[in-house]
Amino acid sequence: MNAPLITSSFFGFIGYILLVYMLAVIFSYTSMLLIAFIQLGKERKLQKNLSDEGAVDFIYTQPVTIIVPAYNEQEGVLGNIYSLLALQYPQFEILVINDGSVDNTEDIIIEHFNMKPIRKVVNQQLETQPIEAIYQSDMHPNLLLITKVNGGKADALNVGINVSKYPYFCSIDGDSILDSTSLLRVMKPIMESNKEVIATGGTVRIANGYEIQMGQVVREGLPGSAIVIMQIIEYMRAFLMGRMALSKYNMVLIISGAFSVFSKKWVMQVGGYTKNTVGEDMELVVKLHEEISDCKEDKEIVFTPDPVCWTEAPDNFKDLRTQRRRWHQGLAESLWLHKKMAFNPKYGSVGLLSIPYFLFIELLGPVIELAGYAYMVLSLFMGEAYIVFAGILGLLFILYGSLFSMASILLEAWSRNTYPAVKDLVRLVMLSLTEVFWYRPLTLIWRTEGIISALRGKREWGSIQRRGLSEDRE
Amino acid sequence: MDKILISLLLVIVVLLIILFALFFLLVFYRMQEVKKKEKVIKYIEDRQVDWYEYLLEEDMSLEGLKPHGNLELEAIDELFFRVNYHISSDEIKEKVNAFAAVYMSDYYKGKLASRSRELRINTLNKISLFHLRFMLDPVSALLEKKKKHSKTELLLMYEIIGKFSRTDFVAHFIAPKVPLGEFDYKKLLMGLDEEQINLLAEDFDVLPELLQLTMIEIIGVHHYLDWLPLLHKCLDSSDQEMRIRALKSIAELEVADSLELYEPFSHSTIWEERLMTAKIFRFAPTDEALPILKHLIKDPTYQVRAQAAKSIKSLKNGHQALYSVITMSSDEFAVDVAEEMFGKEY
């Protein structure tokens, strides 16, 4: 065999691998889309506000500690606290953990909520960086500020768990805000399952461009920036398609750290949040799945599509790159730490389906997709036969990248009665069709960088510029 | 290869056409929905004064509010929800029930007979929320049907029967069609009044275990003092959970007699029992409570120590007693929690 023939055969072989991979990905996404469609269809006409009132009564509910890790959050923390104080929930405490911020986070909170230092014994069950002081608000006695030596988000959350006095805790990012009924609704699966559910996560939506006052969304609307709109589409796809389907079969590995509730007992059992990883939220969920299987307990971790947490999305390429690199690095680290679960029947559907899905489709997907893009370019130089091949691959990319996004938008609009408004819906749909040509290749590169960072053992968080969601920041 | 490419291209084009068709359909329905909502809002705005007079003033006739057509029925249904959300009053509920019984009976019965499970659940929720007593018979009839109901529907039907019937609920609570959990029982029992709880408690020994546990808790929450003997009886139970719940309810009842019955639990090997004992003794006379609480403030479990400190603080001369713990105790954990009590708490 001569060299060009070997090269050509090898090139063809790679093409087939890429093709098979893309078909497998499309098959799994189609299945998840169908499951989400069926699930949402079942609840579409349900008026959930009718059952909220009954659930507010304190005896139905479990008291919750809300933990807000805050590092340099002076822009958004007031809006965040206001939204938490307005929650419709009978019994909760708010612990804002100032993780050694170097901006004015601490002063702003102390001044704004009239915080006074208190003496409090902390049940130091998880090892953390030392606490410097604990303050309590004169105006809202259930609001506490804990200042501590900087130790990272996981460490701050562990401090919150140590200080918390209730059996469930809810972690919220310091720059996010919650809808007033969201805690009640995210707690519902826990209450209604009679404690079979040990963790729940709610939907996170992007609020750039929304009008927010005193921690409450007063007007919804799309922002002008295409990069933010693309992220809105991405969130819809990820939450509606990915998490809903996986949740139905107790296979969720990621519930967003921006808004999730956990049983304290179970989190303590697995040693709290893991430090030294950039994806502490996923890491905790995977640890819990491992523990459930090890203890042979019939417990569940679920995603609830309705409760909403509003967050601020990066509005420039630099910050978006930092965020995506970090997320992907976290995914890589968690999968590596729990490699023994992969393909292990002991861990049931999580070991046999969920972890392989996250490994081959979510983690390695960007590398393979990037290879696909490179393959298409190279095909132009490899002769006519390969151009057709590249065309097939390109069409699959369009199907996978843009059409699924469009379908997710339609699914979201169908399942919710009023949002988005018709003109916003048109913009979302049109922009989703462009995804495969600019946004997706960029995120693929950044996610691949995340894998490289994980392989190199980098632990840099990188900072993201926050503008704050609420108008109160001024 | 070419054929595959063309087929794939066709698939994508077809998919795009389907998605765009769905998109236009969605936009069409969305516009319809928005129009309907606007009409509902307009009705509420136009007629709010009349409704205000009917609901809040006496001797107002309901004839002038007679709904014409489905849209008005839906608008009134929405108005009931808004009224219920903002004002809670028995008289208003009575008037809502009276109006709905005359003019909206068919509307709610129709919704209850809907093929859509979600619509049935919405209707059951509304019957309960708006106190539509006249719907008791249709709901009971629906429950008797051999049709398979979801757990949510069954729970709502039991809740409605418990709310509107004095006795019929007992059989359903004792032998529900699906196994119920603690949360479900709590939801059902919270809707009952004292007389109904008494009726249920007459058969306490034959109730399902989870219902027994929930009842014990409800007795404490509602401060039903008459049932203290039952709680005392539960303290002898071999079931640990039953004993803890009974102690918890006794603590809620805020009683200060029969202390000799509770004192042994301060030495229990189960920390929750010691915790509840610490809670009970916060209402006891200082001389009887102090030795027990001073023992519990040195407990190995943090929660017990913290509760003991809290209970000491609430005793007569409690501050002094707590101060003596700080100055005299050699147990550093006890001193810690005692000092914390002098700081702010919530």
Side-chain angles (χ1 to χ4, degrees):
Chain A
M1 244 195 255
N2 56 19
L5 193 62
I6 292 172
T7 313
S8 174
S9 306
F10 180 70
F11 198 71
F13 175 68
I14 295 290
Y16 277 110
I17 289 180
L18 289 170
L19 212 60
V20 170
Y21 176 81
M22 286 309 295
L23 288 172
V25 170
I26 288 168
F27 172 75
S28 31
Y29 276 158
T30 309
S31 317
M32 291 200 286
L33 189 70
L34 286 175
I35 292 170
F37 171 72
I38 295 167
Q39 285 286 97
L40 288 171
K42 280 183 188 167
E43 295 192 358
R44 202 171 78 88
K45 290 180 187 163
L46 210 57
Q47 288 176 262
K48 291 184 179 162
N49 52 356
L50 290 171
S51 54
D52 282 344
E53 199 168 303
V56 170
D57 206 318
F58 78 97
I59 190 155
Y60 303 159
T61 53
Q62 295 283 344
V64 179
T65 298
I66 300 170
I67 304 174
V68 187
Y71 178 71
N72 292 348
E73 297 285 4
Q74 63 177 18
E75 304 295 344
V77 77
L78 287 185
N80 169 279
I81 296 174
Y82 276 130
S83 82
L84 299 179
L85 288 169
L87 284 173
Q88 284 180 38
Y89 201 81
Q91 206 180 357
F92 64 96
E93 59 173 353
I94 304 165
L95 308 180
V96 182
I97 319 291
N98 177 31
D99 188 32
S101 296
V102 290
D103 67 355
N104 289 323
T105 304
E106 184 178 340
D107 295 341
I108 287 174
I109 300 173
I110 289 175
E111 191 188 336
H112 215 87
F113 296 101
N114 206 8
M115 312 289 292
K116 299 278 158 56
I118 57 162
R119 188 182 155 73
K120 188 167 175 60
V121 179
V122 176
N123 195 8
Q124 190 77 24
Q125 295 175 78
L126 301 170
E127 204 180 304
T128 64
Q129 290 287 347
I131 291 174
E132 290 166 335
I134 302 181
Y135 300 86
Q136 185 177 27
S137 168
D138 258 359
M139 302 142 77
H140 307 281
N142 62 337
L143 171 63
L144 268 70
L145 169 70
I146 294 113
T147 59
K148 64 177 280 282
V149 174
N150 180 266
K153 191 174 173 186
D155 192 64
L157 286 162
N158 284 342
V159 165
I161 296 171
N162 282 339
V163 178
S164 68
K165 64 173 184 175
Y166 293 138
Y168 290 90
F169 73 88
C170 174
S171 70
I172 308 274
D173 279 356
D175 59 345
S176 305
I177 60 171
L178 288 186
D179 270 354
S180 62
T181 55
S182 49
L183 184 60
L184 195 65
R185 290 188 186 174
V186 84
M187 279 298 289
K188 256 189 178 176
I190 292 177
M191 295 183 287
E192 289 181 345
S193 72
N194 297 299
K195 298 178 189 170
E196 290 304 312
V197 172
I198 58 164
T200 57
T203 300
V204 178
R205 287 209 173 92
I206 292 170
N208 298 46
Y210 280 38
E211 195 180 322
I212 290 165
Q213 286 169 4
M214 297 290 280
Q216 300 298 308
V217 173
V218 291
R219 190 181 55 79
E220 293 187 352
L222 275 190
S225 154
I227 191 173
V228 178
I229 298 179
M230 284 314 303
Q231 289 174 78
I232 292 175
I233 295 169
E234 233 186 345
Y235 272 53
M236 282 180 187
R237 194 168 70 178
F239 281 93
L240 278 184
M241 271 171 58
R243 294 188 195 177
M244 273 200 78
L246 292 173
S247 172
K248 185 169 164 55
Y249 301 101
N250 196 20
M251 296 199 297
V252 171
L253 291 193
I254 302 176
I255 51 178
S256 174
F259 179 37
S260 39
V261 174
F262 294 92
S263 151
K264 191 162 88 178
K265 181 186 147 209
W266 277 85
V267 172
M268 286 285 191
Q269 216 165 302
V270 298
Y273 284 92
T274 307
K275 296 177 220 173
N276 305 321
T277 170
V278 294
E280 75 294 322
D281 44 2
M282 174 176 181
E283 176 52 24
L284 179 62
V285 176
V286 182
K287 277 203 293 187
L288 286 172
H289 272 300
E290 194 177 346
E291 183 73 6
I292 292 168
S293 297
D294 287 343
C295 300
K296 296 190 171 66
E297 291 254 14
D298 193 16
K299 300 288 179 190
E300 281 179 59
I301 297 170
V302 302
F303 164 73
T304 41
D306 190 39
V308 171
C309 167
W310 299 99
T311 192
E312 183 186 6
D315 59 2
N316 58 69
F317 286 116
K318 183 174 161 277
D319 287 345
L320 185 61
R321 179 184 176 201
T322 308
Q323 187 193 56
R324 294 311 153 95
R325 271 166 54 182
R326 199 165 72 195
W327 285 0
H328 220 68
Q329 185 178 344
L331 174 66
E333 286 176 356
S334 276
L335 290 175
W336 176 250
L337 281 171
H338 299 277
K339 53 188 177 294
K340 71 163 187 179
M341 291 173 77
F343 305 106
N344 188 341
K346 181 186 166 190
Y347 297 101
S349 53
V350 172
L352 295 175
L353 286 171
S354 194
I355 291 200
Y357 162 78
F358 275 94
L359 177 65
F360 290 114
I361 296 184
E362 295 295 336
L363 179 71
L364 297 177
V367 181
I368 300 170
E369 271 187 74
L370 268 185
Y373 276 97
Y375 189 91
M376 283 195 295
V377 175
L378 282 176
S379 299
L380 298 173
F381 307 101
M382 293 293 289
E384 205 177 321
Y386 294 103
I387 291 178
V388 177
F389 212 98
I392 295 174
L393 211 54
L395 287 176
L396 288 178
F397 279 147
I398 291 173
L399 182 65
Y400 164 67
S402 288
L403 294 199
F404 275 116
S405 292
M406 185 176 169
S408 306
I409 296 164
L410 296 181
L411 188 61
E412 164 93 6
W414 175 72
S415 66
R416 296 181 73 198
N417 267 338
T418 51
Y419 176 83
V422 173
K423 72 172 172 36
D424 290 343
L425 192 60
V426 175
R427 276 181 76 198
L428 284 168
V429 164
M430 291 307 159
L431 210 60
S432 72
L433 294 175
T434 70
E435 179 178 344
V436 76
F437 302 105
W438 64 284
Y439 184 78
R440 191 149 185 95
L442 282 175
T443 54
L444 292 178
I445 295 169
W446 298 331
R447 286 159 71 192
T448 307
E449 286 177 352
I451 299 178
I452 296 166
S453 297
L455 289 172
R456 291 169 62 192
K458 273 189 166 183
R459 289 283 176 274
E460 291 162 14
W461 268 77
S463 61
I464 294 176
Q465 182 67 40
R466 298 288 185 201
R467 280 160 184 75
L469 290 174
S470 181
E471 291 181 354
D472 313 317
R473 64 186 180 276
E474 283 149 25
Chain B
M1 249 338 171
D2 286 353
K3 276 184 186 168
I4 298 176
L5 181 69
I6 292 164
S7 314
L8 197 59
L9 197 64
L10 272 175
V11 168
I12 289 180
V13 170
V14 170
L15 277 177
L16 256 180
I17 293 169
I18 293 173
L19 283 175
F20 269 103
L22 287 174
F23 168 68
F24 287 117
L25 209 63
L26 197 71
V27 168
F28 173 74
Y29 281 119
R30 175 63 55 86
M31 286 162 110
Q32 301 265 81
E33 189 72 26
V34 169
K35 263 187 197 165
K36 197 170 125 189
K37 278 207 165 125
E38 281 169 359
K39 282 182 186 166
V40 165
I41 290 169
K42 190 167 182 316
Y43 172 87
I44 294 174
E45 277 172 5
D46 290 348
R47 304 299 304 271
Q48 60 182 337
V49 177
D50 301 333
W51 273 100
Y52 179 87
E53 283 175 0
Y54 170 67
L55 292 173
L56 294 173
E57 287 172 21
E58 283 179 19
D59 304 326
M60 279 296 297
S61 150
L62 45 83
E63 255 173 58
L65 295 167
K66 184 180 175 182
H68 303 285
N70 210 44
L71 197 95
E72 285 200 8
L73 283 166
E74 284 191 25
I76 295 170
D77 180 65
E78 172 65 24
L79 188 132
F80 285 168
F81 177 72
R82 292 187 188 190
V83 168
N84 185 75
Y85 186 81
H86 293 291
I87 316 165
S88 175
S89 126
D90 288 343
E91 284 120 55
I92 290 181
K93 279 176 182 157
E94 209 42 62
K95 287 197 173 179
V96 165
N97 178 59
F99 181 88
V102 176
Y103 293 120
M104 299 180 78
S105 175
D106 289 343
Y107 174 77
Y108 285 117
K109 279 179 191 165
K111 296 256 177 197
L112 203 57
S114 164
R115 285 179 63 193
S116 153
R117 188 182 64 97
E118 300 98 85
L119 286 185
R120 290 197 305 272
I121 291 174
N122 288 345
T123 312
L124 288 168
N125 264 317
K126 285 173 186 170
I127 292 169
S128 172
L129 207 60
F130 306 160
H131 283 254
L132 305 179
R133 272 187 292 106
F134 71 94
M135 289 296 287
L136 176 63
D137 287 343
V139 169
S140 302
L142 184 67
L143 188 60
E144 295 309 318
K145 274 190 184 169
K146 281 191 177 161
K147 197 176 165 187
K148 198 172 177 247
H149 302 291
S150 67
K151 187 179 169 186
T152 313
E153 284 174 275
L154 283 172
L155 259 176
L156 280 164
M157 287 192 258
Y158 295 153
E159 189 185 314
I160 289 165
I161 293 171
K163 228 174 197 174
F164 302 139
S165 146
R166 305 305 304 165
T167 52
D168 293 354
F169 70 95
V170 178
H172 297 300
F173 283 26
I174 292 181
K177 281 186 178 178
V178 289
L180 299 181
E182 206 182 323
F183 173 79
D184 311 320
Y185 279 125
K186 274 183 187 171
K187 219 171 167 190
L188 293 177
L189 292 191
M190 281 300 282
L192 302 183
D193 59 28
E194 189 170 2
E195 212 177 292
Q196 287 174 304
I197 294 277
N198 288 347
L199 193 65
L200 207 55
E202 279 172 14
D203 298 320
F204 187 80
D205 291 334
V206 297
L207 298 180
E209 194 192 335
L210 276 177
L211 181 54
Q212 286 181 337
L213 290 173
T214 315
M215 271 198 66
I216 291 171
E217 208 169 326
I218 295 287
I219 287 169
V221 170
H222 285 327
H223 295 92
Y224 293 153
L225 263 171
D226 291 350
W227 287 100
L228 190 59
L230 175 72
L231 298 180
H232 285 165
K233 199 179 127 195
C234 293
L235 294 181
D236 296 329
S237 167
S238 56
D239 180 351
Q240 173 188 322
E241 190 59 32
M242 184 81 84
R243 292 196 308 269
I244 295 171
R245 298 282 178 109
L247 286 167
K248 190 178 170 194
S249 268
I250 292 167
E252 296 286 341
L253 290 178
E254 304 179 2
V255 289
D257 54 358
S258 312
L259 295 174
E260 70 287 353
L261 283 176
Y262 318 133
E263 193 270 333
F265 290 101
S266 64
H267 300 283
S268 164
T269 51
I270 300 152
W271 73 265
E272 289 93 339
E273 291 188 345
R274 299 197 302 274
L275 172 74
M276 292 308 158
T277 314
K279 216 169 187 178
I280 290 172
F281 274 87
R282 73 194 190 281
F283 298 107
T286 306
D287 53 339
E288 284 182 68
L290 214 48
I292 290 158
L293 293 174
K294 277 190 171 174
H295 157 68
L296 290 173
I297 204 171
K298 293 182 219 154
D299 196 275
T301 306
Y302 169 78
Q303 286 89 334
V304 180
R305 289 199 303 272
Q307 181 56 54
K310 215 179 212 177
S311 296
I312 292 176
K313 194 184 170 191
S314 63
L315 293 176
K316 198 178 172 193
N317 300 325
H319 280 74
Q320 212 178 332
L322 211 50
Y323 188 70
S324 80
V325 172
I326 295 170
T327 51
M328 316 280 280
S329 179
S330 55
D331 185 318
E332 64 172 299
F333 293 120
V335 174
D336 264 351
V337 286
E339 281 182 341
E340 185 184 337
M341 280 304 125
F342 280 109
K344 286 212 157 219
E345 62 171 295
Y346 56 102

